[in-house]
């Protein structure tokens, strides 16, 4: 008879496989398997419901709802168009400005998934006007979104911190490890853009007639002011506390001005000030990602309770020990990248592999969290993964879509080789 640990790991694999082959949200499969596994383990239905990560759910809901309002009234898209229009007469700067725009779009809060979805059409349209490589356009969208999407003030950064804190690390350690992931995301994916810009000759794009964007209306100006206010309320107390860590007042203020609370405050203010439509904003909430993370989180939480994650960690530790040490980083990188070819980095790979980190024999858990995340994002370029699919959604020409599809199948292998080199020489640390 199969042990419970093997059953749990099998259920995780079946959830991912079922979601991929039947085109159904992986989280739904994971929820069903969580109930089945829990009954085998001896838990009741009420205990199973308690496995849902409520704190993580509120983080996802609050941030995506708030920025759903900002996105729904066209404010961020219009600002992006204005940035590109400003350098229309220096065409070699357009790819760089597009990359910076995507980084900022993702980095001020909405996160990388919103940037994939909402910046892809804009970047692809401009690429067709200036004869820019569609692969470079894909790199601008994807790597720009990842570079900006994991800082501590974005959806990706908050989810990363929440997943790490759930493993039993202190708030301070969770923030430090999440910051390491954010730093590595920015550095590595900015390097990928630089290589892409040079190799795909982004400096040789042609000038084009880019229409002057409309002026910001009063509603959009108020929206920008509100985004700036919420962003400053999140970042200023944290920066001041870092400069004066002994201050009890700043410590309390930082805890009170939690990004989840501030996002809900932003939602209320935006709706009261009529800055957007509540129903339209609801449509911009990535419910599929929330269900995916929450559902798979239930299964991995049960796996942790049953000791399956400890068993997997011990197995990896034994391989690392038998080979003289150091191999474990490369092993985890390989597993993470393989899973991400067919599944979401943040929705599947991170919730699955983060729980093994506390029991691994490594000196730098922050590096291991970064490796899981970075190598998942490398193969996340795959058109079979959610990131690659969203990037391709911006293309309307079937011929161009087919060409980009093939190139996005090859690119992850090149990025894996680059990733291993950067890990070996210590750029990823």
């Amino acid at each position: 008879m199969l042990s419970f640990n093997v059953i749990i790991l099998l259920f995780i694999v079946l959830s991912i496989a079922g979601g991929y082959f039947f085109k159904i949200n992986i989280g739904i499969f994971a929820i069903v398997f969580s109930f089945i596994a829990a009954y085998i383990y001896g838990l009741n239905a009420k205990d199973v419901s308690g496995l849902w990560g409520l704190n993580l759910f509120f983080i996802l809901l609050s941030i995506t709802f708030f920025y759903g309002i900002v996105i729904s009234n066209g404010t961020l898209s219009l600002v992006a168009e204005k940035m590109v229009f400003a350098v229309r007469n220096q065409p070699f700067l357009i790819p760089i400005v597009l990359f910076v725009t995507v980084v900022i779009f993702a980095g001020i809060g909405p996160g990388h998934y919103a940037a994939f979805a909402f910046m892809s059409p804009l970047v692809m349209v401009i690429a067709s006007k200036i004869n820019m490589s569609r692969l470079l356009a894909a790199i601008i969208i994807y790597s720009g979104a990842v570079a900006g999407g994991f800082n501590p003030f974005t959806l990706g950064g908050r989810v990363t911190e929440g997943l790490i804190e759930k493993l039993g690390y202190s708030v301070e350690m969770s923030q430090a490890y999440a910051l390491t992931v954010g730093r590595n995301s920015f550095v590595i994916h900015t390097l990928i853009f630089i290589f892409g810009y040079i190799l795909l000759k982004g400096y040789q794009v042609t000038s084009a007639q880019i229409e002057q964007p409309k002026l910001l209306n009063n509603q959009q100006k108020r929206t920008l002011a509100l985004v700036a206010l919420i962003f400053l309320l999140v970042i200023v107390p944290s920066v001041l506390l870092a400069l004066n860590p002994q201050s009890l007042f700043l410590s309390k203020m930082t805890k009170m001005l939690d990004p989840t609370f501030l996002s809900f405050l932003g939602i209320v203010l935006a709706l009261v000030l009529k800055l957007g439509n509540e129903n339209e904003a609801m449509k911009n909430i990535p419910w599929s990602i929330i269900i995916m993370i929450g559902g798979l989180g239930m299964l991995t939480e049960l796996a942790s309770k049953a000791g399956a994650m400890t068993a997997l960690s011990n197995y990896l530790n034994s391989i690392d020990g038998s080979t003289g040490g150091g191999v474990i980083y490369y092993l985890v990188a390989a597993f993470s990248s393989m899973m991400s070819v067919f599944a979401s980095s943040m929705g599947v790979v991170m919730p699955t592999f983060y729980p093994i980190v506390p029991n691994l024999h490594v000196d730098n858990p922050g590096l291991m969290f970064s490796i899981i995340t970075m190598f998942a994002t490398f193969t996340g370029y795959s058109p079979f993964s959610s990131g690659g699919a969203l990037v391709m959604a911006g293309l309307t020409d079937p011929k161009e879509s087919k060409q980009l599809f093939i190139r996005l199948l090859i690119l992850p292998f090149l990025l894996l080789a680059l990733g291993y080199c950067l890990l070996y020489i210590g750029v990823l640390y």
Side-chain angles (χ1 to χ4, degrees), residues 288-299:
S288 61
I289 297 295
I290 292 175
I291 292 170
M292 193 185 298
I293 292 176
L296 203 62
M298 292 174 67
L299 203 51

Side-chain angles (χ1 to χ4, degrees), residues 132 134 194 225 276 324 326 351 358-359 412 425:
M132 182 170 73
R134 302 304 184 269
I194 292 171
N359 295 306
I425 65 177

Side-chain angles (χ1 to χ4, degrees), residues 81-102:
E81 290 173 17
K82 285 181 174 293
M83 291 178 69
V84 174
F85 183 77
V87 295
R88 67 194 180 282
N89 294 324
Q90 291 86 34
F92 72 94
L93 287 176
I94 295 177
I96 298 172
V97 170
L98 282 172
F99 178 77
V100 172
T101 302
V102 177

Side-chain angles (χ1 to χ4, degrees), residues 228-359:
L229 173 64
I230 298 299
F231 190 75
L232 287 173
L233 286 175
V234 171
I235 194 171
V236 170
S238 298
V239 171
L240 292 176
L241 181 61
L243 296 173
N244 187 13
Q246 306 303 320
S247 173
L248 292 176
F249 172 75
L250 289 173
S251 179
K252 287 182 179 179
M253 286 296 294
T254 303
K255 290 178 181 178
M256 285 176 57
L257 297 175
D258 179 79
T260 303
F261 160 66
L262 290 173
S263 294
F264 276 115
L265 177 62
I267 292 166
V268 172
L269 291 174
L271 295 176
V272 169
L273 295 172
K274 306 294 183 185
L275 299 183
N277 183 282
E278 181 180 350
N279 293 327
E280 288 299 315
M282 282 283 188
K283 293 176 184 177
N284 290 328
I285 297 174
W287 293 110
S288 61
I289 297 295
I290 292 175
I291 292 170
M292 193 185 298
I293 292 176
L296 203 62
M298 292 174 67
L299 203 51
T300 53
E301 177 69 16
L302 187 58
S304 295
K305 286 179 180 290
M309 292 305 174
T310 302
L312 181 57
S313 301
N314 291 339
Y315 174 71
L316 291 171
N317 287 329
S318 67
I319 295 176
D320 188 55
S322 65
T323 55
V327 176
I328 195 165
Y329 292 108
Y330 299 91
L331 275 175
V332 173
F335 289 138
S336 173
S337 59
M338 282 190 290
M339 182 179 285
S340 187
V341 171
F342 303 103
S344 162
S345 303
M346 190 172 75
V348 177
V349 181
M350 290 164 60
T352 301
F353 283 104
Y354 271 24
I356 71 172
V357 175
N359 295 306

Side-chain angles (χ1 to χ4, degrees), residues 215-232:
L215 294 173
L216 289 168
N217 59 36
N218 289 331
Q219 182 192 54
Q220 290 168 332
K221 289 177 182 176
R222 291 199 301 271
T223 301
L224 277 180
L226 179 60
V227 170
L229 173 64
I230 298 299
F231 190 75
L232 287 173

Side-chain angles (χ1 to χ4, degrees), residues 11-32:
F11 282 172
I12 292 174
V13 172
L14 287 175
S15 296
I16 296 167
Y20 176 73
F21 287 110
F22 292 103
K23 308 301 179 188
I24 297 172
N25 192 304
I26 292 170
I28 297 173
F29 278 102
I31 291 170
V32 172

